[in-house]
């Protein structure tokens, strides 16, 4: 309720997708990502998704392509926004889909934590740990080199009225913990994980590559 309407979220995500594209030097995908963001929640108004909520995004892709003749890159990104849906789920394949998915997850994380709905202990009612894990995996997979702190500060701007002095730190703590999980899942040794996290991980794609290189060297 405190985070506004889906229309307002759509606008925030659209702006974030463009911001991420520019920050990562992927301006060629900005238009498709922004267009997909604009259309991304239109399928929530349909009877099909109302009856089968698990089809959100999937029906968005179908309607955008078949009914509105949107480009395949836009239609695919609408579905990919929800990926990964779980720890072992596939990541977005397209660049516009990756940008849109990161933008949507960053907005959700920033918004929920700003109003006090962040994870605590074993409780995570809004699945923010999963959202953070997906965001980080996408940055690494698509080699999106950007300033993660700047992204999350940008994502927090619309929630300034709700955020406290420690909100940003809470967000970074969540992301740091999930990035540690990303590295360990990739087979990186715990001592290398600690070294990489200590030396700086704001560009998570670069930090991930560094961790894998160190792991390969340690194995020789």
């Amino acid at each position: 309720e405190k985070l506004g309407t889906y229309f307002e979220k759509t606008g925030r995500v659209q702006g974030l997708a463009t911001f991420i594209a520019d920050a990562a030097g992927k301006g060629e995908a900005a238009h498709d990502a922004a267009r997909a963001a604009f259309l991304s929640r239109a399928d929530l108004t349909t009877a099909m998704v109302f009856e089968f909520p698990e089809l959100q995004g999937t029906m968005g892709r179908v309607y955008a392509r078949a009914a509105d003749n949107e480009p395949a890159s836009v239609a695919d990104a609408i579905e990919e926004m929800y990926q990964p849906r779980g720890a072992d789920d596939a990541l977005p394949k397209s660049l516009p889909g990756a940008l849109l998915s990161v933008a949507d997850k960053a907005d959700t994380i920033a918004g929920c934590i700003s109003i006090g709905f962040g994870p605590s202990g074993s409780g995570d009612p809004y699945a923010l740990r999963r959202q953070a894990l997906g965001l980080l995996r996408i940055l690494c997979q698509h080699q999106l080199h950007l300033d993660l702190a700047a992204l999350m500060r940008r994502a927090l701007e619309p929630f300034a009225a709700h955020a406290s002095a420690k909100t940003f730190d809470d967000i970074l703590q969540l992301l740091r913990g999930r990035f540690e999980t990303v590295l360990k899942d990739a087979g990186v040794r715990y001592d290398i994980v600690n070294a990489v996290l200590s030396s700086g991980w704001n560009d998570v794609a670069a930090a991930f590559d560094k961790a894998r290189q160190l792991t390969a060297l340690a194995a020789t």
Side-chain angles (χ1 to χ4, degrees), residues 80-104:
E80 290 174 331
M81 181 183 76
Y82 293 96
Q83 295 175 339
R85 295 177 185 264
D88 299 322
D89 191 28
L91 299 177
K93 292 181 179 179
S94 73
L95 181 55
L99 297 173
L100 178 55
S101 184
V102 170
D104 186 66

Side-chain angles (χ1 to χ4, degrees), residues 34 48 55 60 70-71 94 130 132 173 206-207:
M48 179 66 78
L55 292 180
E70 292 287 341
S94 73
R130 176 172 60 80
Q173 183 178 358

